[in-house]
Structures are given as C-alpha cells and as structure tokens.
Amino acid sequence: MEKTRLRLEPWSDRDFWLLERTNEPVMTEHLGGPESDERLRDRQRRYEALSAREPAAGRMFRVVLEASGDSAGSIGFWERQWRGEPVYEAGWGILPEF
C-alpha cells in the first residue's frame, strides 16, 4: 500500500480560494451550511492574523500533497475559553476529491 505524504503550509493571503472551496454545501452540510461572502472574508482575516501572533496562540495551515503540490484542505487550532478555562479548539476540512 502506497502512503500519501502531506505537508502543512502556513495559511496566507493567497489561500482565500481554498476557504471558498471548504465553504461549499457538501463541506458545510453538518455545520449549518455555507457562510456569506462577508463572513468568509472575516474568516480569511482571522486566519491571516493567527500567523502574525505567537505560535502558541494558534495557527491555520493549508494541507498539501507532497507528490503533486495540490492543496487538499485546511487544518488549524486556536485559543478559546471553555467553562471559564483557556483551551485549544481545532478544525479541519479535506476537499471531497481527496
């Protein structure tokens, strides 16, 4: 069985197209449906801002197939409060064709 190698690349201002792809109905069916363009642009700004903070505050990454260089999705983590305590939350989405 051949293994697929992946790499994570930091989210950048050039990755909005991937955010649009992960916002398609098939990707958001169990998350309440697609977000508006305005909310997506907000999300893009938040993802870029994570890269400007210290790494422990969180990060977003683009998932890339090493062999082809194709972007397969996104993965990330960020700080939040839960039950009055600081925790990390994680989120990811892999495009259906992968």
Side-chain angles (χ1 to χ4, degrees), residues 49-92:
L50 278 175
S51 294
R53 298 177 62 193
E54 69 280 359
R59 284 288 182 269
M60 282 305 296
F61 299 95
R62 185 166 39 95
V63 178
V64 178
L65 302 176
E66 285 225 337
S68 65
D70 289 337
S71 296
S74 63
I75 188 166
F77 69 98
W78 50 90
E79 296 174 310
R80 68 171 295 209
Q81 292 287 315
W82 186 67
R83 295 184 177 178
E85 298 288 328
V87 297
Y88 286 110
E89 184 174 61
W92 58 273

Side-chain angles (χ1 to χ4, degrees), residues 33-62:
E35 294 182 301
S36 69
D37 287 341
E38 181 179 335
R39 288 189 60 137
L40 272 189
R41 293 194 189 291
D42 248 10
R43 183 179 297 277
Q44 174 71 18
R45 282 189 286 275
R46 287 195 315 273
Y47 286 2
E48 288 180 45
L50 278 175
S51 294
R53 298 177 62 193
E54 69 280 359
R59 284 288 182 269
M60 282 305 296
F61 299 95
R62 185 166 39 95

